[in-house]
Amino acid sequence: MFDKQTVSLEWAGRTLTIETGRVARQADGAVLVTYGDTTVLATATFRKEAKPGQDFFPLTVNYQEKYYASGRIPGGYFKREGRPTEKETLTSRLIDRPIRPLFVDGFKNEVQVVITAISYDMENDPDIIGMIGASAALVLSGAPFMGPIGAARVGYKDGQYLINPTEQDLEESELDLVVAGTNDAVMMVESEAKELPEDVMLGAVMAGHEAMQPVMDAIIKLAEKAAKEPFEFDAEDLSGELKQIQDLVGADLSAAYKITEKLARQEAVGAAREKAAEALVATEEKPDGMDESVFKAAFKKAEAKVVRGDIIKTGKRIDGRSLDQVRPIVAEAGFLPRTHGSALFTRGETQAICVATLGTSDDEQFIDGLGGTRKEKFLLHYNFPPYSVGETGRMGGAGRREIGHGKLAWRALSAVLPEADQFPYTIRLVSEITESNGSSSMATVCGCSLAMMDAGVPISRPVSGIAMGLIKDDEGVAVLSDILGDEDHLGDMDFKVAGTEKGVTSLQMDIKIAGITKEIMETALDQAKGGRAHILSEMNKALAASRGELSANAPQMEIVNIPVDKIRDVIGSGGKTIRDIVDTTGAKLNVEDDGTIQISALDRESIDAAKKRIRELTAEPEVGEIYEGKIVSIKDFGAFVNFFGPKDGLVHVSQMADERVGHPKDIVKEGDTVWVKLMGFDDRGKVRLSMKAVDQETGKDKEAETADADAE
C-alpha cells in the first residue's frame, strides 16, 4: 500500500531520518523528519498555474506545534491550539527566508509549505528539523525550486563550536545561531550572542554551513528514489519589455534616483511609472501592448538596473553617500516626561520612539509552548504604523513582520541585561516606528538601549545596530552600510548586525540571490563594525551609560529572603497576615516557594515598613538584645509585653524596676510602650524579659551606660 522511501544519517551524535511515501500522499511533496525523538511532518503543495494578473510570488510557510507532541493538553477554555504563537510565527519566517529566493525567477504560482511538529523530545528544537523537512518536501514535489537547502544550529562554549546543541546545552552556550544555505553558499543567518567577536561569528556561520552538507546529500539521495517529475516552467523573457521601458523612461528613472528625499524620490519614480504605463500597457485602444503584470515585473527590473548600475559604477548611493557612510543621527534620551525611560532615535529618514517600563513579577509574561509554561521578564514590542511610510493602511494586531523585527531587537539587547537577582524588575520595551526608510529594527535596538539607560536599568554596555546591503552582479560587488529602503528592496542582501563595543550580540542575514561567499560576509562584518562604532558614538552624546538611579515614576523594589519554614508566618491563615501587611504599608508582596519575597511600592517608606513587618514575623529574638514593646495584659505576678512581631514575653514584677514593686499596675497599664531586654528563656521555653535592665527614657542598656560612664 505504501511506497515508503527512507534515508538516514548520523548527524552531530544523533540519527536524522527523512521518510516519504507513507503520510500525506496527496500533497505534492511530503516527508516525516525525525531527529532524536523529535518528529515533524513537512508538506509542499503548489498550484499548476498562476492566477491571471498575478504580479508577485505567493509563497506561504506555516509552521505549527501540536501540544500532543510533548504529551500536553492546551490551556484555555477550548482546549485546542489557537492562533499562532510567537514561536510558531518566528519559525515560519525562519523557514520562509532561505527557500523563497531559490524558486525560479518569474514563477508566480501559489505555493504553500506546512510544517507540523508532531513529536517533541524536549531536547531537539523542531525548527531546524522543520527547515530540513520543508527543503526535502519541495525537492520531492517537482516545483521549480533550486534546492535543496540544509540548516544547522551552532552553539559556542569554551572556545569550541557546538553543532546542533540540545536545549540544555544552549543554556550554557555563548551563542545560538541558525544558518541555512545551499551546497556552496549561505542563504540565511539568525542568531543571538553574548558579545562575541566578528571572527567567532563568521566561524560559526562557516561551521554550520559545513555541518549541513551531509543533510543536503541525503535529500538528494531521497529525491533520486521518490521525486516527482519536474514541473514544466519556462521563465518569461522580459528583455524586450525591459528595453522598451529603458528607452522610454530610463533617463527619468536615473534622475529620480538621484533625489535624496524619500517622498520626493517616490513621487518622481511614480511619475516615470505612469508615463511608461500610459505608453506601453495594453488598453482597449492598444490591445497589442504589455500585460499589466508583465509591465510591473519589467519596470521593477528597470528600477533595479538603474540603481544597481549607478552604485557599482560610481560608488555613490541613491542619497549621494559613499558605500560605508552612515546617515546623520540624532539621539535624544528622556524624550517623554512621565514614562520610566524613553528615547527618540532618528537616523536619516528612519525614526523610533522607544519607551521602557519597569514592573514587578506580576507583570511577567507567561509563555506556553511544547516544553511547558515559562515566565519571561524581558519584553520588547515593535509597532509599525502605516503613517511611518506615508501611507494609509489597516491598524490591528502585530503581524509576522512586527513580531520578527521585535524579536531581532530583543535578541540584540538581551545579552546586556542585568541578572534577575541584581535587578528584579520586569522590563517592557516598546518601539513606535514613526518614520521608516531603512532598518527600523536597528533603530529600535539603538533607541531601546537608550530608553533602558534612561530608566536606570543597569545594562552592562549600550548596544547599537546597523543594516548592511549588497549589490552583486557581473560588473562587480558593493557592500553598503546603513541601507535605505530602496537599496534593501532592489539589492541582494539584508544583513543586520547589532552589538556593543565589546562584540556582536545579534546577527541576521537574508539573501535574495543564490547565496553569498565567506569573503563577502567577512567584508560586511568588518564594515558593519565600523558603522556600529560610529552609531554608538552618536548615541553616547545623548547618554553613554545607565543613569544609575531609577526614574522617580518607576516602582521601588527590593528582594528579601526568609527561611522556607517561615513562609506560612508571612502569609498567615487564609492569607490574612500578608493582606494586612499590604493594607497597612501600601507595598505589594510576591512570595516565592524558595522563600524569596519581592517587595514593591511607589515610595521607599512603604518598602521599609513592609520589610520591618516581615523581619518581625520571621526573625528570632536574640538574648541580650533590647526591644520596644507594648503592654498587652497585666497579671498579679507581672506584665506580658508584645515585643517582637507576634511574640509576647513576661516581665516578672521583680524585673519591672530597681525598687520593690507591690503590683504591676503601680508601674504600667495596658497599651503602654516600654523598653525590654531579652534575658533568656525558662525551662518551658517561655520568654523572660526585663524592664529594669533598660533605661526607659533612652532605650539604652543600663549596664552599657554604666560601663561608658566608668570609662570616661
Side-chain angles (χ1 to χ4, degrees), residues 681-707:
F681 304 89
D682 63 19
D683 295 340
R684 293 178 297 172
K686 301 293 186 180
V687 176
R688 294 189 294 109
L689 302 174
S690 172
M691 289 172 53
K692 72 178 186 180
V694 186
D695 185 324
Q696 292 300 312
E697 291 185 5
T698 65
K700 298 287 184 66
D701 190 320
K702 286 183 178 179
E703 289 184 7
E705 286 186 332
T706 302

Side-chain angles (χ1 to χ4, degrees), residues 556 558-560 562 570 577-590 597-601 603-618:
Q556 303 291 310
E558 192 164 331
I559 298 291
V560 297
I562 64 171
V570 174
T577 304
I578 195 170
R579 285 197 301 271
D580 181 62
I581 297 172
V582 171
D583 291 342
T584 56
T585 67
K588 180 188 266 187
L589 273 63
N590 288 295
I597 302 180
Q598 186 183 88
I599 311 171
S600 58
D603 57 82
R604 188 72 235 175
E605 291 76 15
S606 296
I607 289 181
D608 290 341
K611 278 177 62 181
K612 183 172 183 290
R613 288 287 304 276
I614 292 170
R615 189 165 57 248
E616 290 172 347
L617 288 166
T618 59

